[in-house]
């Protein structure tokens, strides 16, 4: 049967092409990432429960302030959340610090990550000495231009439905235009979100990375928020658009006067 044979070979070539298009490393990290160190990214922190279970990421933006996702913080009591800084390996106990949280601010209009306003600020019980990163402001709109390379960091899953990473992982993904992201997700709202990823997929954030940083030009431009699966073609990661909340965040982050 000629037709059948032809079909089989066409399908075969298609599979081979797909395999080639998706980086072979797609199971290594974040999804398709590589190992990173908090020495190079000291502002990358993770959130744990009191029994040391890592459930989200965060970004140190002041010595006692961490930006994370609202969906990581909503409904939590400060007693239920610890911020771990300076620790690449989640199982390490002696490197870095695990700091209690004394206050949680969740964006007042937050309801659901798919709607927007997926941002929160944790105030730490004490200041930590790790390098912070500034938030993107109105002057940084250029960093949201499509194709801008953005670095994402986290301890989340390394594959859809897989286990989370023991070590900090990072990946670089290009910012996706609002138009393209709207094509991917009807719920995409460019006033509240920004997307990043490759059309062919393979490199992306995943569950457990939420709340963690998306960095470009030395500024925090996004907060890991949501996606569909992880690393799927034409399904970029969706991040909270930090510049959209610059004023509210600055208000939350401004130093509490020391008596
Ligand atoms: N909502 C997820 C979390 O709670 C983050 C999902 C990011 N997904 C993605 N495909 N980029 O950790």
């Amino acid at each position: 049967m000629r037709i059948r044979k032809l079909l089989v070979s066409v399908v075969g070539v298609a599979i081979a092409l797909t395999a080639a298009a998706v980086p072979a490393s797609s199971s290594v990290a974040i999804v398709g990432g590589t190992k990173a160190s908090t020495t190079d990214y000291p502002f990358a922190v993770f959130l744990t429960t009191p029994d040391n279970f890592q459930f989200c990421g965060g970004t140190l933006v002041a010595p006692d302030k961490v930006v994370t996702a609202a969906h990581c913080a909503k409904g939590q009591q400060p007693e239920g959340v610890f911020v771990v800084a300076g620790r690449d390996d989640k199982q390490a106990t002696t490197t870095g610090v695990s700091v209690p949280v004394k206050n949680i601010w969740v964006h007042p209009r937050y309801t659901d990550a798919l709607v927007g306003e997926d941002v929160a600020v944790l105030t730490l019980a004490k200041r930590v000495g790790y390098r912070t990163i500034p938030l993107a402001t109105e002057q940084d709109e250029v960093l949201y231009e499509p194709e801008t390379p953005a670095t994402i960091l986290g301890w989340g899953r390394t594959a859809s439905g897989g286990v989370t990473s023991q070590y900090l992982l990072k990946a670089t993904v290009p910012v996706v235009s609002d138009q393209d992201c709207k094509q991917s997700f009807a719920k995409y709202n460019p006033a509240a979100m920004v997307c990043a990823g490759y059309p062919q997929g393979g490199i992306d954030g995943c569950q457990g990375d939420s709340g963690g940083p998306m960095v470009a030009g030395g500024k925090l431009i996004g907060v890991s928020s949501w996606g569909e699966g992880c690393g799927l073609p034409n399904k970029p990661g969706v991040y909270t658009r930090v510049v959209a909340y610059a004023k509210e965040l600055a208000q939350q982050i401004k130093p509490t006067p020391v008596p």
Side-chain angles (χ1 to χ4, degrees):
M1 297 287 279
R2 269 239 209 76
I3 301 273
R4 177 176 287 234
K5 206 163 187 186
L6 185 68
L7 255 176
V8 166
S9 61
V10 166
V11 170
V13 168
I15 289 170
L17 283 177
T18 312
V22 178
S25 59
S26 64
S27 62
V28 183
I30 268 199
V31 167
T34 54
K35 231 165 131 174
S37 170
T38 56
T39 309
D40 300 320
Y41 302 96
F43 52 80
V45 301
F46 61 91
L47 312 187
T48 74
T49 58
D51 59 2
N52 213 31
F53 173 76
Q54 182 263 330
F55 64 91
C56 270
T59 306
L60 195 65
V61 296
D64 64 342
K65 301 283 180 179
V66 167
V67 168
T68 187
H71 81 260
C72 292
K74 193 173 173 140
Q76 304 259 26
Q77 296 305 122
E79 306 76 59
V81 184
F82 286 77
V83 168
V84 182
R87 188 176 296 169
D88 302 354
D89 175 359
K90 286 197 294 205
Q91 281 167 25
T93 48
T94 52
T95 49
V97 287
S98 174
V99 187
V101 168
K102 73 170 183 199
N103 190 58
I104 299 178
W105 174 86
V106 173
H107 193 288
R109 285 194 307 279
Y110 172 77
T111 52
D112 187 309
L114 279 74
V115 177
E117 288 82 48
D118 192 11
V119 69
V121 176
L122 313 179
T123 303
L124 305 180
K126 65 172 210 258
R127 293 161 197 250
V128 296
Y130 295 96
R131 180 164 56 84
T132 62
I133 186 169
L135 298 163
T137 65
E138 280 78 23
Q139 281 87 62
D140 300 311
E141 282 291 354
V142 63
L143 299 174
Y144 293 89
E145 290 287 325
E147 305 301 327
T148 302
T151 301
I152 55 170
L153 293 146
W155 287 262
R157 291 182 180 177
T158 57
S160 232
V163 295
T164 63
S165 176
Q166 181 178 348
Y167 299 96
L168 175 62
L169 302 172
K170 71 162 179 201
T172 303
V173 274
V175 171
V176 169
S177 72
D178 291 336
Q179 201 187 322
D180 285 357
C181 200
K182 190 72 190 170
Q183 293 283 344
S184 295
F185 301 113
K187 294 234 173 211
Y188 176 67
N189 174 4
M193 307 166 192
V194 56
C195 296
Y198 291 96
Q200 71 270 29
I203 305 181
D204 194 10
C206 204
Q207 274 64 41
D209 290 323
S210 277
M214 176 204 209
V215 173
K219 302 283 175 79
L220 183 71
I221 68 162
V223 175
S224 274
S225 179
W226 58 279
E228 190 180 311
C230 306
L232 297 176
N234 297 311
K235 298 290 175 192
V238 188
Y239 300 80
T240 307
R241 193 178 199 99
V242 167
V243 69
Y245 305 102
K247 290 210 179 75
E248 289 154 292
L249 289 172
Q251 184 63 28
Q252 292 306 318
I253 285 153
K254 69 167 192 252
T256 32
V258 196

